[in-house]
Amino acid sequence: MTDTPRSAALELASQPYKYGFVTDVPSDTAPLGLSEDTLRFISTKKNEPSWLLHWRLEAFRAWTSMKEPRWAKVHYPPIDYQAASYFSAPKAGPKTGPKTLDDVDPEILRTYEKLGIPLREQEILAGVTAPSVAVDAVFDSVSVATTFKKELEKHGIIFCPISEAVLKYPEMVQKYLGSVVPVRDNFFAALNSAVFTDGSFVYIPPGVTCPMELSTYFRINAKNTGQFERTLIVADHGASVSYLEGCSAPQRDENQLHAAVVELVALDDASIKYSTVQNWYPGDKNGKGGIYNFVTKRGACRGKRSKISWTQVETGSAITWKYPSCILQGDESVGAFYSVAVTNNAQQADTGTKMIHIGKNTRSTIISKGISAGRSQNSYRGLVKILRSASGARNKSQCDSLLIGDACGAHTFPVIESRQPSARVEHEASTSKVSEEQLFYCRQRGLSSEDAMALIIGGFCREVLQELPMEFAVEAQKLLGISLEGSVG
Amino acid sequence: MTLAAFKNRASQNQEAWRYTNLDTLLSPAALDAEPFPHGPHACPFKTCLVFLNGIFEPSMSRFGSVPSCLLMGDRDSGYSLTLGEQTCLVAHPVELVFASDSKAPDEIPLKFSISLGKNARLSLLENHRASAVPVSVETSVTLAPHAKFVHGKIVSGGPHLALYTVHAAEGSFYTNTSLLRRTRPARNEFSVHLDGQGAQVSLNGIMFLNGHDHADTTAHVLHNAPHCTSRQSYKSVLDESARGVFQGRITVAPHAQKTDGYQISRALLLSDKAEMDSKPELEIYADDVSCRHGNSVGDLDPDALFYLRSRGLDEKAARDLLIQGFLADALDSLPVEAWGSSFRHELGLEPL
């Protein structure tokens, strides 16, 4: 009986990575290596104002004096930062990005079609029931298309590639860029600040509830490049937005670097919901290839009663180093972190969150579900910090790990620092495996062993999955199936 | 281990010493802040071994019915306590009293090695009287199969650094209950290796701090064999500007199946200047294990306070009662009943 679920698990786990193809488009790529000249190259290519170049140079100088962090529970050979190219854009596109979809290389459009990302608005509208989603599609270092811009403009919402925002709304970008994640924040954030190429900029004006989901899809395509995108979302007084992020990359034997920075700013009564389904190429069974995912995500609840919620489903990447955090500055602001991290084969994930309580009566919730299978290592690392000023603050954290197989590891590193007696902080964690009894029960009710496993894992992750917007929840459920189901024994 | 050796250890692993910075905590300015009261100490046990300024004083000690060969060695090479196979001293709890006087050197390094033979039983209470100079303790404990070591510890004040390394063989049992008070600062660190199948460890403690006290409990339990059980349970009561630190870690090796691990830290912050930092960690490489941890930090329950006050207790009495209640299960479950009076006395609580 022991063998059945295990083999079912293995079968499920051995499903290939669906998004591993390469799109053959001519691209304009910067020469290998990283120096101040690289930054000037990127800045010129993007036609940037001089303040941004200075900002990049400052970040680069800071980065050269910083050490790569080694405290995370991940192991990888030293990265040669000079062996990668820091800019790659599909050729033939006009410098500031295509004006209409007809300008976009049809190969790229086909790529997004294959990935299931709708870029043609009329097609999306033709879908009768599906709610519409505005998409910013980032291909290597540039944004190739942004949909529903006109519709959004009617509400005064700005949704565009950040390189365009730099030119069109410089005051706003200058005001908020680096205000949540400063250039010297950490090694990878400094690197990103120096060489970031594209990403999305979102501004929701006061009192506006964004009428549709906003989404960015990141695709790494070119060889020997890294992707360094920068996303900045600002929700003004009383505004609210739900934002989705997806990603994938071709299947390659070399490791590729992805170091993104995401900054969220929520003013009084604003609310931002940020959801990610991370599905970078995880490497093959033996751990060859895959994306190194070193991401800094942070949200600042600056205003009173503001709210930021992070939901992530992490299934891809050879290495994940990611801690979406909330700075709860405004009184009565709310932070939330819901995460499912799945690792299989030789994947390593070190992910978690930081909740910094500054304002009075701030509240935060952390729910983290880690699932490790194969020979993978999966760590939750979190910090809950209650400052003296945060009277009446509340935090509840729950971290559960599920182990599938006897060669993987599941680790929990929660840190709680409390300086305020009226604050309540609670943390709970458990580690377990899928029991034979649970499987047996499901199977004797007529479920196949795969379905039984899917049911149990679905139940384990339910609290997180139900936080995802509908379109994503379906996708995430499928992904979990692919990356995981059946590895249980 | 000397103070310098402790500082060296800290500099090599900054993450493990993140909340306890020896350089600032042991700076001359911090140390001279306030002298500690040297109260007389009445040892309730028949066996009481006294160490003055780090040196064993036979004239002040009494062995009772325990053979004097139990304790060997000297200050420089370290002291050793050895129990042969089948020796049982549970009926004769041993107390070690560590005191210092005006002739104390700049620091008092203490080195102990305790080893229990097969099926041996020992209960030992370490009583560190308040000291003005830093005391550093390095103790290694070796337990043969099915040995049982019941270990208690009271630190009444002063700078105190301790490292206990325990190796537990098959079926053996180690338990420690530590009480830290008036520590400026204290680091009480355990590294417990459960090397044999079915070994058990239970680490418990109370940190009861006020003023500018700083106490750090760091407990690392390594499950290296299957079917081992570990428990860590710490309670902290922090008033005024006190700072408590709990760093617990359970590591389960790949083949250590059927591990049962649990750790919990609960803290009461009684003042808005007090701080509690906790880091309960799990590091698990085996799949058939049950490991849980919990952590909570908060103030006294205002409803409970209100209830008591409505029954006629004044604010202070109500708070004291609730604090006693918070500590009650730790005190009630002391493995040696006779330790109860020492612990309660140190906490300023009425004897039961």
Side-chain angles (χ1 to χ4, degrees):
Chain A
M1 210 199 78
T2 333
D3 280 5
T4 335
R6 191 170 288 219
S7 60
L10 289 175
E11 208 173 286
L12 267 163
S14 59
Q15 290 198 32
Y17 184 69
K18 269 199 332 203
Y19 310 103
F21 58 88
V22 182
T23 310
D24 188 17
V25 284
S27 63
D28 196 353
T29 303
L32 297 187
L34 177 57
S35 65
E36 293 196 1
D37 288 342
T38 319
L39 313 189
R40 290 196 177 92
F41 175 89
I42 295 172
S43 205
T44 317
K45 275 275 171 201
K46 300 205 150 257
N47 221 356
E48 283 174 0
S50 63
W51 64 266
L52 192 54
L53 177 62
H54 284 126
W55 196 75
R56 285 175 185 278
L57 289 169
E58 187 200 330
F60 180 73
R61 284 165 200 155
W63 178 74
T64 47
S65 67
M66 288 165 117
K67 266 195 193 153
E68 201 174 321
R70 282 285 169 193
W71 42 260
K73 213 173 169 51
V74 293
H75 299 279
Y76 54 92
I79 299 170
D80 183 358
Y81 292 94
Q82 298 301 335
S85 165
Y86 289 83
F87 183 83
S88 175
K91 255 186 193 149
K95 261 182 200 162
T96 48
K99 289 284 170 287
T100 70
L101 276 187
D102 298 331
D103 297 338
V104 179
D105 189 323
E107 270 299 317
I108 294 177
L109 288 182
R110 264 197 291 282
T111 303
Y112 282 93
E113 240 165 70
K114 263 166 129 179
L115 296 169
I117 309 300
L119 290 187
R120 289 192 183 274
E121 293 174 22
Q122 62 274 35
E123 284 167 20
I124 308 165
L125 294 170
V128 193
T129 48
S132 47
V133 179
V135 180
D136 180 16
V138 177
F139 195 82
D140 288 327
S141 303
V142 292
S143 168
V144 289
T146 309
T147 61
F148 287 106
K149 269 171 126 171
K150 287 224 172 72
E151 169 75 17
L152 292 170
E153 268 165 25
K154 276 190 222 156
H155 299 269
I157 295 168
I158 303 171
F159 177 45
C160 67
I162 200 153
S163 48
E164 190 182 318
V166 166
L167 302 174
K168 278 175 138 174
Y169 317 99
E171 304 85 28
M172 216 179 306
V173 175
Q174 218 170 343
K175 182 171 172 194
Y176 291 109
L177 189 72
S179 73
V180 185
V181 180
V183 292
R184 293 165 184 276
D185 190 77
N186 67 68
F187 183 83
F188 295 110
L191 176 65
N192 174 286
S193 305
V195 302
F196 81 89
T197 43
D198 229 325
S200 304
F201 173 74
V202 177
Y203 172 77
I204 315 286
V208 172
T209 300
C210 186
M212 60 181 83
E213 307 271 351
L214 303 184
S215 160
T216 305
Y217 196 89
F218 297 102
R219 172 81 180 165
I220 297 182
N221 186 61
K223 219 175 168 170
N224 291 330
T225 58
Q227 193 172 53
F228 304 91
E229 84 269 5
R230 186 125 194 156
T231 298
L232 174 59
I233 301 177
V234 181
D236 215 320
H237 297 245
S240 116
V241 61
S242 165
Y243 181 91
L244 321 174
E245 178 203 275
C247 41
S248 63
Q251 195 158 341
R252 287 214 178 85
D253 285 348
E254 306 88 48
N255 297 105
Q256 281 178 289
L257 182 63
H258 172 247
V261 172
V262 174
E263 295 175 283
L264 311 182
V265 179
L267 303 181
D268 284 359
D269 298 297
S271 123
I272 302 175
K273 183 181 171 78
Y274 193 105
S275 316
T276 312
V277 172
Q278 188 262 102
N279 187 26
W280 296 112
Y281 176 54
D284 71 2
K285 268 189 181 166
N286 304 315
K288 200 166 185 197
I291 301 287
Y292 288 168
N293 193 28
F294 299 112
V295 177
T296 307
K297 292 188 172 180
R298 195 173 302 154
C301 284
R302 296 231 168 111
K304 286 180 183 154
R305 298 169 298 277
S306 55
K307 185 177 175 190
I308 288 180
S309 140
W310 298 99
T311 308
Q312 60 171 20
V313 175
E314 301 279 315
T315 60
S317 297
I319 290 173
T320 303
W321 181 101
K322 179 178 173 187
Y323 314 92
S325 309
C326 296
I327 300 169
L328 304 168
Q329 202 175 341
D331 291 350
E332 288 163 50
S333 56
V334 179
F337 175 76
Y338 302 95
S339 165
V340 171
V342 181
T343 54
N344 199 352
N345 298 319
Q347 279 177 274
Q348 304 173 66
D350 194 303
T351 182
T353 185
K354 282 183 185 181
M355 294 289 171
I356 317 283
H357 290 255
I358 302 171
K360 288 191 181 69
N361 299 321
T362 45
R363 283 173 289 149
S364 64
T365 309
I366 299 172
I367 295 181
S368 163
K369 307 278 178 180
I371 303 171
S372 29
R375 290 168 291 115
S376 67
Q377 301 296 332
N378 197 332
S379 311
Y380 167 81
R381 189 183 299 277
L383 167 70
V384 175
K385 189 169 191 158
I386 313 274
L387 298 188
R388 214 147 275 168
S389 52
S391 55
R394 291 277 180 281
N395 164 267
K396 173 88 173 81
S397 312
Q398 189 190 332
C399 308
D400 298 318
S401 313
L402 197 64
L403 289 144
I404 301 177
D406 53 9
C408 51
H411 319 296
T412 320
F413 307 102
V415 179
I416 296 132
E417 300 180 6
S418 180
R419 299 185 185 179
Q420 170 50 251
S422 65
R424 290 255 184 288
V425 185
E426 286 165 68
H427 173 93
E428 267 173 55
S430 72
T431 300
S432 54
K433 68 170 199 166
V434 175
S435 75
E436 295 297 333
E437 288 85 44
Q438 288 171 324
L439 283 172
F440 180 76
Y441 177 80
C442 294
R443 295 196 54 214
Q444 61 104 327
R445 309 301 285 185
L447 294 178
S448 69
S449 43
E450 291 100 289
D451 288 348
M453 193 56 70
L455 185 72
I456 292 166
I457 287 168
F460 178 73
C461 303
R462 212 177 76 100
E463 286 164 285
V464 175
L465 296 183
Q466 68 192 10
E467 289 295 323
L468 285 172
M470 218 259 289
E471 309 78 34
F472 256 32
V474 177
E475 164 99 18
Q477 199 99 36
K478 269 195 243 156
L479 257 179
L480 281 182
I482 294 167
S483 358
L484 213 254
E485 273 175 13
S487 338
V488 183
Chain B
M1 197 162 12
T2 58
L3 204 58
F6 265 102
K7 282 188 178 170
N8 188 30
R9 266 188 87 231
S11 68
Q12 279 167 13
N13 190 351
Q14 292 178 348
E15 182 61 25
W17 291 79
R18 171 171 167 176
Y19 299 111
T20 302
N21 184 335
L22 292 183
D23 289 328
T24 33
L25 288 166
L26 291 173
S27 67
L31 288 183
D32 291 334
E34 264 171 70
F36 296 98
H38 291 259
H41 175 65
C43 171
F45 303 109
K46 284 190 181 132
T47 312
C48 176
L49 313 180
V50 178
F51 294 76
L52 186 66
N53 299 331
I55 299 166
F56 176 56
E57 282 294 337
S59 60
M60 299 165 87
S61 307
R62 52 179 189 270
F63 276 91
S65 45
V66 172
S68 62
C69 64
L70 176 71
L71 183 76
M72 307 286 278
D74 54 36
R75 183 186 63 178
D76 299 330
S77 59
Y79 293 97
S80 67
L81 278 97
T82 310
L83 254 71
E85 278 185 25
Q86 317 290 346
T87 319
C88 177
L89 289 183
V90 176
H92 313 279
V94 178
E95 179 163 354
L96 305 183
V97 176
F98 300 90
S100 57
D101 58 17
S102 53
K103 291 180 204 121
D106 290 347
E107 59 166 306
I108 304 176
L110 292 163
K111 198 173 169 194
F112 279 88
S113 114
I114 299 171
S115 109
L116 271 65
K118 221 170 165 181
N119 287 320
R121 301 270 189 279
L122 172 67
S123 56
L124 177 91
L125 178 65
E126 268 180 57
N127 204 329
H128 295 268
R129 310 304 301 150
S131 161
V133 297
V135 175
S136 50
V137 185
E138 185 189 9
T139 301
S140 70
V141 176
T142 314
L143 303 180
H146 305 285
K148 182 175 176 182
F149 182 19
V150 178
H151 185 193
K153 174 172 181 172
I154 296 175
V155 179
S156 313
H160 184 96
L161 301 169
L163 173 64
Y164 297 87
T165 310
V166 180
H167 284 273
E170 188 190 324
S172 61
F173 178 75
Y174 174 74
T175 176
N176 176 285
T177 307
S178 296
L179 169 62
L180 306 178
R181 289 227 47 198
R182 291 189 288 271
T183 50
R184 314 257 172 100
R187 164 99 163 184
N188 204 27
E189 183 172 347
F190 295 88
S191 169
V192 181
H193 303 252
L194 300 173
D195 296 331
Q197 198 158 328
Q200 294 181 41
V201 59
S202 168
L203 303 174
N204 311 285
I206 296 172
M207 295 192 269
F208 196 86
L209 311 174
N210 54 19
H212 283 93
D213 297 352
H214 178 116
D216 171 337
T217 296
T218 297
H220 188 185
V221 176
L222 298 101
H223 285 261
N224 299 329
H227 295 279
C228 293
T229 306
S230 68
R231 294 284 178 268
Q232 296 171 29
S233 168
Y234 285 88
K235 295 218 164 167
S236 312
V237 177
L238 309 169
D239 204 348
E240 295 166 11
S241 301
R243 186 171 187 193
V245 178
F246 170 72
Q247 305 188 102
R249 176 180 278 199
I250 300 174
T251 302
V252 181
H255 52 277
Q257 301 292 5
K258 305 285 178 194
T259 285
D260 179 1
Y262 181 61
Q263 56 182 181
I264 180 136
S265 158
R266 295 184 61 198
L268 275 184
L269 292 185
L270 300 178
S271 127
D272 56 7
K273 290 198 186 80
E275 176 172 351
M276 179 72 198
D277 302 309
S278 40
K279 214 162 50 146
E281 306 183 338
L282 300 175
E283 201 177 348
I284 296 163
Y285 297 94
D287 66 335
D288 194 2
V289 301
S290 156
C291 281
R292 291 156 296 144
H293 63 194
N295 192 343
S296 69
V297 183
D299 196 358
L300 292 172
D301 180 359
D303 292 345
L305 260 179
F306 178 78
Y307 175 78
L308 289 176
R309 298 210 52 204
S310 76
R311 312 299 284 185
L313 271 69
D314 65 25
E315 173 92 22
K316 186 172 181 309
R319 288 178 79 89
D320 286 352
L321 189 62
L322 287 175
I323 293 166
Q324 269 197 57
F326 176 74
L327 296 175
D329 54 338
L331 291 171
D332 293 347
S333 60
L334 284 175
V336 179
E337 226 184 300
W339 291 354
S341 60
S342 303
F343 275 76
R344 284 175 180 278
H345 171 77
E346 191 53 50
L347 287 167
L349 301 176
E350 301 294 314
L352 280 181

